[in-house]
Amino acid sequence: MIVNHEEFRAYVVSRGAALLRVANQLTGNPCDAEDLLQAALAKTYLAWDRIKDPSSLDSYVRRAMVNINISWWRRRKIEEYPSDELPDVVVQYDHRHRYDELEQALDRLPLRQRTAIVLRYYEDMSEPEIARTLGISVGTVKSSVSRGMAKLRGDLVVRAAAGEHVN
């Protein structure tokens, strides 16, 4: 394995922030996002000499992140258990946290819907690009994005109706 360390380093420096945003959207947790990106970059480093087209690097890393995240999700143990009683929750709203509310709503989506929305609207990928990246059909991408967006809209409307401030 012959890896040009400077090329790899330059790639990570130039694309790291954008890839970290994708990882954060996939995991919903900044610490997990850093771990996910690091694991995906490690896989990319090992495959560096086999990746012939530099324009496909982002796709390779994103696909690695999706696969790793799915593997981690499958291994995760249930840490929360249902309860008959809901605790009283005091929610204070600060207008600066609209972005946080959107991220929380994204976190509540099923994995495929969240992934498709992140790739479509955060990474500005086309539906065929998403389909290739995730290994699914374009129709599945369209329905995943559509259903996910409907759930996001519904989530924000329900939260607003419950008295939480959502702008």
Side-chain angles (χ1 to χ4, degrees), residues 14 19 38 67 94 125 134 144:
S14 68
L19 294 168
Q38 183 176 357
N67 289 341
D94 184 344
M125 291 174 67
L134 299 181
S144 295

Side-chain angles (χ1 to χ4, degrees), residues 73-84:
W73 180 79
R74 287 179 178 156
R75 282 188 237 150
R76 210 173 283 147
K77 294 180 181 177
I78 296 176
E79 297 174 2
E80 297 178 10
Y81 299 95
S83 172
D84 290 334

Side-chain angles (χ1 to χ4, degrees), residues 8 38 50 54 66 98 115 140 160:
F8 182 77
Q38 183 176 357
R50 294 189 316 264
V66 168
R98 286 184 223 159
T115 303
T140 302

Side-chain angles (χ1 to χ4, degrees), residues 23-159:
N24 193 39
Q25 291 302 315
L26 289 172
T27 63
N29 178 308
C31 293
D32 290 343
E34 290 173 358
D35 291 343
L36 177 62
L37 180 57
Q38 183 176 357
L41 288 174
K43 283 188 177 283
T44 304
Y45 182 82
L46 294 174
W48 191 257
D49 60 333
R50 294 189 316 264
I51 302 172
K52 303 296 181 207
D53 182 10
S55 66
S56 67
L57 284 170
D58 280 359
S59 295
Y60 186 93
V61 176
R62 282 192 300 262
R63 184 66 202 173
M65 285 192 292
V66 168
N67 289 341
I68 292 165
N69 194 45
I70 289 170
S71 295
W72 289 352
W73 180 79
R74 287 179 178 156
R75 282 188 237 150
R76 210 173 283 147
K77 294 180 181 177
I78 296 176
E79 297 174 2
E80 297 178 10
Y81 299 95
S83 172
D84 290 334
E85 298 177 28
L86 294 175
D88 291 333
V89 179
V90 177
V91 177
Q92 294 186 5
Y93 181 78
D94 184 344
H95 291 280
R96 295 172 293 182
H97 297 291
R98 286 184 223 159
Y99 182 76
D100 291 338
E101 288 180 1
L102 179 57
E103 283 195 357
Q104 291 168 5
L106 277 167
D107 290 344
R108 290 187 286 273
L109 290 177
L111 181 60
R112 179 181 284 173
Q113 290 175 4
R114 179 174 61 232
T115 303
I117 287 173
V118 167
L119 294 177
R120 180 70 183 106
Y121 295 107
Y122 282 75
E123 286 299 305
D124 200 28
M125 291 174 67
S126 68
E127 290 162 343
E129 289 173 320
I130 296 168
R132 279 191 303 275
T133 299
L134 299 181
I136 58 177
S137 72
V138 173
T140 302
V141 171
K142 289 180 180 182
S143 64
S144 295
V145 169
S146 176
R147 289 179 182 142
M149 291 301 293
K151 284 183 180 181
L152 282 175
R153 288 183 195 103
D155 188 0
L156 295 175
V157 168
V158 167
R159 289 172 56 106

